[in-house]
Amino acid sequence: MSKVVAHMSMSLDGFIADPEDGCDELFGWYANGDVAVPSHDSRWTFHVTEASARWLRDALDRAGALVCGRRLFDHTKGWGGNHPAGVSLFVVTHRPVEDWPHPVTFVTDGVVSAIEQAKQVAGDKDVSAASTTIVQQCLDAGLLDEIEVNLIPVLLGEGIPFFANLATMPVRLSDPEVVPGRGVTHLRYAVLR
């Protein structure tokens, strides 16, 4: 059965980007090892440690669709039409792009609809919830099954927080699955209901 999973790299003080949307301090682990992990797009190959390679391969293999917000879609320029996970994209927005040249589904009736549509496409694979707003909306709606955090040993002090503005608190999580890497600790939590 398909799960809805959030995947984010996060600083120890809870930020997924700096105030200008920069992620350089958080994405170094994607290039700090000797094991090549190709993505589903030839533009991106990750070079990580063996432990991180197992974690990353698992995430890529489990992915069946991705739901993101318009802000992330615009910031990444829609990943040039091909996300590294090689999955169908569902973009929650009030402003669909009329002339986007690549396959993408713009969803204008909210995150619940986007997740439902993504699950249909993903089949037995996971639906990845990307961007803080989408993750927060999924948590508030009771849609999120797992949270995967790539915890980076850096304190940014300010930026875009992973978990802010949640309407439903507390959110209880399982004990974590922990995979230590170099410059990163991978954590996986089930969302308890």
Side-chain angles (χ1 to χ4, degrees):
M1 183 176 183
S2 181
K3 292 181 184 177
V4 180
V5 181
H7 304 270
M8 290 282 187
S9 290
M10 181 181 80
S11 67
L12 188 58
D13 54 349
F15 298 105
I16 57 93
D18 66 27
E20 288 79 40
D21 280 329
C23 298
D24 290 346
E25 292 286 344
L26 303 174
F27 285 0
W29 72 274
Y30 285 113
N32 72 357
D34 299 328
V35 180
V37 178
S39 74
H40 294 278
D41 185 314
S42 60
R43 293 175 293 171
W44 295 297
T45 297
F46 308 106
H47 294 88
V48 295
T49 64
E50 184 56 45
S52 291
R54 285 189 301 273
W55 182 268
L56 192 51
R57 284 187 199 112
D58 179 61
L60 290 169
D61 290 346
R62 289 175 29 197
L66 183 134
V67 176
C68 70
R70 177 64 187 268
R71 183 171 178 266
L72 179 61
F73 179 81
D74 288 347
H75 182 70
T76 63
K77 297 177 179 58
W79 295 277
N82 192 16
H83 188 274
V87 297
S88 297
L89 296 176
F90 295 82
V91 180
V92 180
T93 183
H94 297 293
R95 303 173 289 114
V97 177
E98 299 298 328
D99 58 350
W100 181 251
H102 306 287
V104 65
T105 302
F106 293 99
V107 181
T108 58
D109 56 346
V111 73
V112 173
S113 176
I115 294 293
E116 288 172 358
Q117 292 177 57
K119 280 186 167 190
Q120 290 176 0
V121 170
D124 289 338
K125 293 195 169 205
D126 291 345
V127 172
S128 295
S131 80
T132 59
T133 303
I134 296 301
V135 170
Q136 291 163 20
Q137 290 176 17
C138 285
L139 280 168
D140 287 339
L143 298 172
L144 201 66
D145 298 302
E146 286 183 355
I147 297 172
E148 294 186 359
V149 175
N150 304 305
L151 189 62
I152 310 304
V154 65
L155 301 172
L156 293 180
E158 61 180 341
I160 299 170
F162 194 177
F163 304 107
N165 306 313
L166 289 170
T168 308
M169 295 295 280
V171 175
R172 291 185 175 79
L173 307 173
S174 68
D175 290 334
E177 175 185 341
V178 180
V179 176
R182 181 184 308 138
V184 62
T185 302
H186 306 288
L187 304 167
R188 179 179 291 129
Y189 299 90
V191 178
L192 302 178
R193 294 190 171 78

